[in-house]
Amino acid sequence: MNTKQGQADTLAQTEQAAVPATPLLHGDVYDQKVDSLTRRAGRYLLSQPALLLTGSYLFCSLLGMIFVVSLFDKFDFAVLPYLEISDFLLAALSNPWTILQFIFWTLCVYLLLSLDRAARHRFRSYARFSDRFYKPRYQRLSLYMFASLPVLFLIDIALYEATVQSKAIKAGTTPRFNLSLIYPVFDDNKTMQMEQIQILARSVSYLFVYHQNQIKVIPHANVAGLFPLPVTQAATSKAKVESEASAKPAAKTP
C-alpha cells in the first residue's frame, strides 16, 4: 500500500514538474517550432552535402539570370537566345557585389529576428505585447513569409544592380577598352578595331559590348585583343570622338 502511495506521489510530482511555472505564450510556441525546423533542416543538409552545392549553384544561376536579363532589357535587347545555362552562373560570379548585398540583407533580417526573440525572452511585458502577432493562425503565414524573404531579396537586388549598371554604361562611367578583331565586321567601314567600347557582359561564346550607343555581339573567336584604357586616356579619347562626331554634321552644312 505504501509502495502504491509512493508511486502515486512520484507520478504527481513528475506531472507537476512538467508543467511550466508560467504558461507558454504563442511566441514561445513559435520559437519552438522554428528551432525544431531549423535543427531538422540542418541535419538533413549535413547528411546531403551534394544538395547544398546544388542549391548554391541554382541560387547563383537564378541571380545571374535575373541580373543579365534585366540589364539587357534596359537597352531593349533580347539576350536570352545568345546565352547558355552556364552563362547565368558566370554572370553572378562576375558581379559579386550582388551576392554580397544578398548576404548582407539576409544577415540583417536574421539579426532583427534574433533581437526580437531575445527581447521576448528577457522582457515578458514586451513578449505579451508582441504575442498577438504570434497567434496560431499567423504562425504558418509568418513562416512562409520569412522563407520567401531571401527570394524577394534576390530579385530586388538583381534588378537594382542591373539598373545601376545600365545607367553607368549609358553615362560612360564604366571602364573603357579598345577591341581588335581577327575578321572585319561587315558594316559600312568593315571595322577591324573598335575604340572606346564598354563591356556589358561576357558569356561562354560571346562578348557583349556597348559601342557608339548600341550593343554589339562579338564572338570570342573573333577577338584578337582587348586593351583596357587608363582613365585619363579614356577621357581624352572620348572627348576626341565626341568632338569629331559633332563636327561631321557641321561640315555638311553649306
Side-chain angles (χ1 to χ4, degrees):
M1 189 68 175
N2 292 333
T3 304
K4 292 183 179 181
Q5 183 65 31
Q7 292 177 350
D9 293 340
T10 303
L11 181 60
Q13 292 176 0
T14 304
E15 292 177 350
Q16 185 176 2
V19 178
T22 56
L24 288 176
L25 299 176
H26 296 307
D28 299 327
V29 177
Y30 177 80
D31 291 342
Q32 292 176 357
K33 289 183 179 180
V34 171
D35 291 340
S36 176
L37 289 173
T38 303
R39 286 193 297 268
R40 288 164 56 188
R43 287 195 298 266
Y44 183 76
L45 290 176
L46 289 176
S47 64
Q48 302 288 338
L51 183 62
L52 184 60
L53 294 176
T54 303
S56 300
Y57 176 84
L58 292 176
F59 161 75
C60 290
S61 298
L62 179 61
L63 178 63
M65 183 184 69
I66 298 173
F67 172 77
V68 169
V69 172
S70 302
L71 175 62
F72 281 87
D73 184 64
K74 306 298 181 183
F75 298 90
D76 297 323
F77 184 86
V79 71
L80 283 178
Y82 300 91
L83 300 180
E84 302 176 12
I85 295 178
S86 58
D87 293 328
F88 299 135
L89 177 62
L90 178 63
L93 297 179
S94 300
N95 297 273
W97 180 240
T98 55
I99 300 177
L100 293 177
Q101 281 197 72
F102 172 81
I103 295 174
F104 172 76
W105 288 112
T106 302
L107 289 177
C108 285
V109 172
Y110 175 78
L111 178 62
L112 290 175
L113 294 177
S114 300
L115 290 175
D116 174 71
R117 172 183 287 201
R120 284 189 286 107
H121 290 174
R122 184 175 180 85
F123 306 105
R124 299 307 290 179
S125 57
Y126 174 77
R128 287 190 293 270
F129 169 77
S130 63
D131 198 55
R132 68 188 73 179
F133 304 107
Y134 293 93
K135 292 182 178 179
R137 63 175 178 271
Y138 299 139
Q139 289 182 10
R140 186 178 296 272
L141 178 62
S142 63
L143 284 174
Y144 290 152
M145 182 182 68
F146 290 128
S148 63
L149 271 180
V151 179
L152 297 178
F153 282 152
L154 180 80
I155 296 173
D156 185 67
I157 291 169
L159 294 176
Y160 174 77
E161 286 298 316
T163 301
V164 170
Q165 186 160 332
S166 65
K167 289 181 179 179
I169 291 173
K170 291 179 180 179
T173 58
T174 59
R176 292 174 176 268
F177 302 82
N178 286 340
L179 175 65
S180 297
L181 303 176
I182 300 175
Y183 307 106
V185 176
F186 289 99
D187 52 9
D188 295 337
N189 301 319
K190 292 186 177 181
T191 303
M192 288 289 294
Q193 182 168 340
M194 298 181 183
E195 297 183 354
Q196 293 289 318
I197 69 164
Q198 299 175 88
I199 297 177
L200 277 84
R202 297 176 179 85
S203 69
V204 173
S205 303
Y206 299 102
L207 179 68
F208 300 89
V209 303
Y210 191 67
H211 182 239
Q212 297 176 343
N213 296 327
Q214 62 177 327
I215 293 178
K216 297 181 179 180
V217 184
I218 310 297
H220 288 309
N222 196 24
V223 176
L226 187 64
F227 309 99
L229 296 177
V231 177
T232 54
Q233 182 179 350
T236 304
S237 301
K238 179 184 176 183
K240 181 180 178 181
V241 170
E242 290 178 349
S243 62
E244 291 176 352
S246 60
K248 287 180 180 179
K252 294 180 182 180
T253 304

